[in-house]
Amino acid sequence: MKMNDLTRIRLYHEDCVAGIPVRVGGGHVDLVVTSPPYNLGVKYNTYQDTKRWGDYIEWTVRWASVVRDALKDNGSVFLNLGCSPSSPLLPHAVIHALVEEHKLFVLQNTIHWVKSIAMPDKDGQEIQRGHYKPINSERFINDCHEYVFHLTKHGSTALDRKSVGVPYADKSNIERWKHSNGGDLKCRGNTWFVPYKTISNRAKDRPHPATFPTALAVNCIRLHGKSRNSVVMDPFLGIGHACFAAVECKVKEFIGFEIDAEYMKIASDVLDCSYFKINQKNPGTPHQSSA
């Protein structure tokens, strides 16, 4: 991946709950794009994804609280959450805890990330587009969708809606609708079809059990707006897709936290080995770019 010399990158091999208050100043971050563990028993290298329900919600409130402190007053958090047939209410329970119980955020938008969908091709024949993980069940259907919850401090954060807009199919609507302002882009809405890229070797091409596509994070960064002057953070870096998106959008600064040294190394290797020095013996050391 080609690096730009505009984005300052700070990656920390440490727990975000302890690290963010020390490494990130209050009100420093413009937007957060992240996908924490879903507590669905995913087999990560380091993190144990099998907390008791109450403990998981309590931990979620802890990391969300330090994220809120680091966020600017008009900042955005794009929180990607999924579920499973055994835990269908998890995303909603998390949002209820953050928004209703603890009043940490306002739920400003709910985006539906569609990973795969059946739709007609040009000849009218239905085909499956995108990729999903099939399940073997007589009761449940395959889950081809996850949520991206847009959380803000007050519910009044302005967005650059047309930065991820789509062209009008009927060009006569450009003049017909006043909100078009004469431009050939309309708001994409809250349903985003963002498929995973096709891979040939899971262990080599996607060596992490729960990632989101870089394109999904790019959409979030662009939607928040002012990307060139933005500071973006991911408290759960994984193998770095939010960082790759920040580099693609040429943001001013990216900050990431990851407790797993192997995932951290994969992220830094993909970005550019020359930008980082991995020091596993000193987890608090930032892996910082020379930009």
Side-chain angles (χ1 to χ4, degrees), residues 167-184 186:
Y168 283 90
D170 182 352
K171 303 305 180 184
S172 66
N173 286 333
I174 297 173
E175 298 298 329
R176 183 179 303 154
W177 302 115
K178 291 182 179 179
H179 61 256
S180 72
N181 293 320
D184 187 18
K186 61 180 178 179

Side-chain angles (χ1 to χ4, degrees), residues 79-83 91-92 110-113 145-149:
L79 175 59
N80 168 222
L81 290 173
C83 59
H92 310 288
T110 299
I111 298 164
H112 303 269
W113 166 31
H145 150 273
E146 291 188 14
Y147 296 97
V148 179
F149 296 108

Side-chain angles (χ1 to χ4, degrees), residues 34-42 44 47 49-50 53 56 59 79-84 87 90-91 94 113 115 146-147 196 210-212:
T34 196
S35 183
Y38 298 168
N39 207 43
L40 299 177
V42 174
Y44 298 98
Y47 177 81
D49 195 37
T50 52
W53 183 262
Y56 177 75
W59 170 75
L79 175 59
N80 168 222
L81 290 173
C83 59
S84 72
S87 191
L90 182 142
V94 167
W113 166 31
K115 296 181 281 188
E146 291 188 14
Y147 296 97
Y196 284 107
T211 62
F212 51 69

Side-chain angles (χ1 to χ4, degrees), residues 92-105:
H92 310 288
V94 167
I95 294 304
H96 186 268
L98 298 183
V99 173
E100 296 295 333
E101 292 182 29
H102 295 273
K103 310 295 183 184
L104 292 174
F105 296 105

